[in-house]
Amino acid sequence: MAIVRNVDRRLNALAVGFTNEEDPAEMYSSDVVFGEREEADLTMIERYLGTCLELDRLGSPEGLLVAYPRLHGPSATQTTTVTSG
């Protein structure tokens, strides 16, 4: 599970433009982006990236709800409000 937290933290830090001083690469046991991976870790990272690409392809919160209508349908356990902005 540690690898998931590391990948999530590092990719978010890079996405918001953190410098190496703000999120030192040395904090990680291996390079989260370019480091070598074992089978299970590689599969997890591939799915993480695949999910990110899919969400990007949807383009908007509305696109997410169109692709996954159960998020706002009668079987949803919570009320989902979408605002664009």
Side-chain angles (χ1 to χ4, degrees), residues 11-77:
L11 293 181
N12 279 295
L14 293 172
V16 298
F18 280 9
T19 66
N20 196 53
E21 291 171 353
E22 295 166 310
D23 188 57
E26 299 79 30
M27 285 188 348
Y28 304 92
S29 58
S30 66
D31 186 312
V32 170
V33 178
F34 298 107
E36 291 187 32
R37 302 279 173 240
E38 299 295 321
E39 288 181 33
D41 290 344
L42 187 59
T43 300
M44 187 280 306
I45 290 172
E46 185 277 330
R47 286 312 323 132
Y48 189 98
L49 178 59
T51 299
C52 291
L53 292 172
E54 174 66 13
L55 291 173
D56 186 56
R57 184 188 67 75
L58 296 175
S60 68
E62 292 82 8
L64 178 68
L65 294 175
V66 169
Y68 300 96
R70 68 181 176 274
L71 293 176
H72 65 88
S75 64
T77 58

